[in-house]
Amino acid sequence: MSNAASILVVEDERSMREFLQILLRRHAYEVTAVDGGAEACALLAEREYDLVITDLSMPQVGGLEVLRRAKHLHPATEVVMITAFASAETAIEAMKAGAYDYLTKPFKVDEVLVTLDRALEKRRLVRDNQVLRQQLSDRFHLDQLIGRSAPMQRVFELLRQIAPSRASVLISGESGTGKELVARAIHALSERRERSFVAVNCGAIPEALLESELFGHVRGAFTGAVGNKEGLFTVADGGTLFLDEIAELTPALQVKLLRALQERTIKPVGSTSERAVDVRILAASNRNLERAIREGVFRSDLYYRLNVIGLELPPLRERRADIPLLAEHFVRKYAAEAGRALRGLDAPALARLCDYDFPGNVRELENLIERAVTLAQGDEIGVAVLPELRAAPPGGETPAHITLPGPGLDLDTHIGTIERTLLQQALDRTQGNRTDAAQLLRLSLRSLRYRLAKYALAGEGDTPKP
Ligand SMILES: Nc1ncnc2c1ncn2[C@@H]1O[C@H](COP(=O)(O)OP(=O)(O)OP(=O)(O)O)[C@@H](O)[C@H]1O
Ligand SMILES: [Mg+2]
């Protein structure tokens, strides 16, 4: 099958029909030409064309009828009308009925080509959006999470495996990578889904309050404790407790939490008796806990209790394949909230997003789209409503540790070693997936393959695994 756009020409006037046919064929379109509206409608019932160019006034079945039939059968097909100057009013009616544009006879060759080109570009974008929409609805979706990149597909797989168990999960990742959303997904996919999901931000509650917040207190436990109070462990009994920013726990509370996890019991502040609770613990941190352990500020025994299963969310810049899908998702979300009909982002706007590094990860993308939706005029988001985003520097930051050794070095060999090391690291990080490795190194797949061959390195496949 050819990739050329398919065009149906409908024109009763023979010289005009043949002129269009020859012109469009010469520009590598796949052209079918008919001399009346009836034949056109018959063909439209059989197959879809990318574009229909039709004369307005033809005997019997006219251009408006062809337009209506085309739009009815194939809403994404673009239709361009040809009119004589006398029928401008009908041309306007045609635009209202969904025609892309109209050409007034006599017209210039360039005019035809430019109009068709634009109409086809629009169709391509609409189609891409349809594909995206389709992808959103199936396997690139888990609970509220969206992701089609290989790293996110692996996260989904892991989530499905670990959700049913009771094991603690430690979710790590930079700020805005979706840690809380992952915690909610684990709960929603588990048998505890009918019971409570309770989230506590350990960094936001003053230390003095956090203990009673978590474990509850009895009347008179401290000044102001006028009655018994249930702790969040009790509220989450039978369900899931999500301890966010776990690195912020003080040493004293770390001990108490460890005890609660080991014994599966809690002791309210001021109480002498313990009570059993059945709570699944999920914890999250955007700080490196292993480093916190080395620095002596986080207990390693608590770490191992929390990290029965470790789940690391990659930063958005390491899974750029997710950007179009996430952007589309947020456009729909905020357009719906604002009651606006937006088709999505145009190609340059999407390209700008895909080139950007997103230090604030998915949250930054979400905020940016929310703002763009508010500012957008017309039915698409263009670069005009996006901030200037500094594209990722082509070579990354300049590494600080480059120094020329005293006796000098063989530059080519040295650079080769660096290149090979980075290639190997990219393959390791993507578990051998070449498509993702190429993305990490901002290389085309072809260029990556060439380099892998040069250094005799192997990668696994060229496409993300389903
Ligand atoms: N994969 C995803 N699909 C859809 N939305 C996402 C995804 N990841 C993150 N988001 C959205 O991005 C925002 C930030 O996510 P979330 O709050 O889970 O991040 P976080 O890792 O907990 O950040 P922080 O460390 O700053 O607390 C939320 O609005 C969330 O809904
Ligand atoms: Mg969070």
Side-chain angles (χ1 to χ4, degrees):
M1 250 192 49
S2 86
N3 287 322
S6 56
I7 298 184
L8 176 63
V9 174
V10 192
E11 171 63 82
D12 58 331
E13 198 184 306
R14 181 166 162 200
S15 57
M16 178 58 89
R17 183 173 66 245
E18 287 178 357
F19 160 73
L20 285 170
Q21 203 171 358
I22 291 164
L23 174 71
L24 299 181
R25 287 222 172 107
R26 195 186 302 148
H27 284 84
Y29 292 115
E30 178 210 318
V31 185
T32 309
V34 294
D35 63 5
E39 290 94 323
C41 290
L43 285 179
L44 284 168
E46 273 169 30
R47 62 161 286 193
E48 179 173 4
Y49 293 86
D50 292 315
L51 186 141
V52 176
I53 177 165
T54 177
D55 191 15
L56 239 177
S57 58
M58 293 179 292
Q60 283 139 19
V61 181
L64 274 181
E65 183 56 32
V66 174
L67 165 67
R68 291 205 180 94
R69 186 61 70 91
K71 280 290 174 189
H72 175 70
L73 293 170
H74 315 288
T77 296
E78 294 299 341
V79 182
V80 171
M81 315 300 292
I82 304 171
T83 78
F85 72 92
S87 53
E89 222 165 276
T90 333
I92 290 162
E93 195 183 335
M95 297 296 287
K96 281 191 188 146
Y100 175 78
D101 204 351
Y102 59 89
L103 297 162
T104 310
K105 288 186 214 174
F107 41 73
K108 299 198 184 78
V109 168
D110 277 356
E111 205 183 329
V112 181
L113 292 175
V114 167
T115 304
L116 296 192
D117 207 44
R118 285 211 192 109
L120 287 166
E121 170 68 8
K122 176 173 171 221
R123 167 164 165 91
R124 197 181 56 72
L125 285 172
V126 170
R127 274 205 146 167
D128 288 354
N129 271 336
Q130 280 171 349
V131 173
L132 282 175
R133 223 154 270 156
Q134 179 61 34
Q135 293 178 343
L136 277 179
S137 64
D138 43 40
R139 69 194 168 94
F140 298 137
H141 201 138
L142 185 69
D143 192 45
Q144 317 258 25
L145 287 164
I146 286 163
R148 57 161 300 172
S149 63
M152 280 309 277
Q153 288 288 307
R154 283 193 289 273
V155 167
F156 287 7
E157 203 176 304
L158 186 61
L159 284 178
R160 289 196 188 93
Q161 281 170 11
I162 65 180
S165 90
R166 191 189 180 282
S168 302
V169 183
L170 179 62
I171 309 161
S172 56
E174 290 178 13
S175 183
T177 44
K179 296 185 293 296
E180 175 151 4
L181 219 51
V182 161
R184 288 182 188 277
I186 294 175
H187 177 73
L189 295 170
S190 77
E191 271 152 27
R192 299 170 173 257
R193 72 179 74 87
E194 304 295 337
R195 311 297 288 273
S196 314
F197 174 88
V198 178
V200 198
N201 186 331
C202 303
I205 301 172
E207 187 200 346
L209 287 183
L210 188 54
E211 183 181 356
S212 95
E213 202 59 36
L214 288 175
F215 305 118
H217 64 243
V218 295
R219 202 175 93 171
F222 46 82
T223 328
V226 287
N228 291 345
K229 182 185 183 264
E230 286 207 331
L232 294 174
F233 263 91
T234 311
V235 177
D237 201 1
T240 307
L241 182 62
F242 174 50
L243 301 171
D244 205 354
E245 296 192 29
I246 192 79
E248 305 303 318
L249 280 187
T250 58
L253 266 178
Q254 288 178 32
V255 177
K256 287 178 176 144
L257 178 60
L258 178 63
R259 225 187 113 68
L261 297 187
Q262 278 170 342
E263 312 294 329
R264 297 190 182 182
T265 57
I266 51 152
K267 196 161 80 176
V269 180
S271 164
T272 46
S273 57
E274 315 218 310
R275 63 163 286 193
V277 284
D278 167 27
V279 172
R280 182 181 197 179
I281 301 291
L282 307 175
S285 173
N286 52 27
R287 281 186 36 197
N288 184 330
L289 282 181
E290 275 146 28
R291 190 186 310 147
I293 293 169
R294 282 198 302 275
E295 289 165 358
V297 290
F298 202 84
R299 297 181 67 99
S300 60
D301 45 9
L302 177 58
Y303 173 78
Y304 291 117
R305 275 280 163 187
L306 296 171
N307 193 29
V308 174
I309 299 162
L311 195 156
E312 187 165 351
L313 284 174
L316 188 54
R317 63 184 167 279
E318 286 175 17
R319 46 176 163 118
R320 286 173 198 271
D322 290 338
I323 293 175
L325 217 54
L326 283 166
E328 162 82 1
H329 165 72
F330 293 133
V331 169
R332 283 212 273 161
K333 174 176 166 188
Y334 288 105
E337 269 179 23
R340 299 195 47 184
L342 277 174
R343 272 198 291 135
L345 293 114
D346 68 14
L350 196 55
R352 184 180 290 189
L353 293 183
C354 290
D355 276 346
Y356 178 57
D357 256 1
F358 288 103
N361 295 297
V362 184
R363 181 178 294 114
E364 184 179 8
L365 174 62
E366 179 169 1
N367 293 342
L368 202 143
I369 299 279
E370 182 179 9
R371 178 172 170 276
V373 167
T374 327
L375 297 177
Q377 292 171 342
D379 64 351
E380 265 185 346
I381 292 180
V383 283
V385 293
L386 293 181
E388 278 296 333
L389 300 171
R390 211 167 54 84
E397 310 290 305
T398 312
H401 49 266
I402 292 183
T403 34
L404 180 63
L409 51 69
D410 180 324
L411 184 61
D412 286 335
T413 313
H414 186 67
I415 288 177
T417 313
I418 294 174
E419 190 174 11
R420 189 180 196 285
T421 309
L422 290 173
L423 286 165
Q424 185 62 58
Q425 285 180 2
L427 285 178
D428 290 347
R429 196 180 302 170
T430 61
Q431 293 174 15
N433 185 303
R434 290 184 179 191
T435 309
D436 291 355
Q439 211 170 55
L440 269 183
L441 298 171
R442 323 277 190 274
L443 291 175
S444 69
L445 195 53
R446 175 200 295 273
S447 162
L448 179 82
R449 278 206 209 100
Y450 164 77
R451 286 164 213 251
L452 293 181
K454 181 169 154 195
Y455 297 111
L457 292 166
E460 200 171 81
D462 288 348
T463 46
K465 280 164 276 172

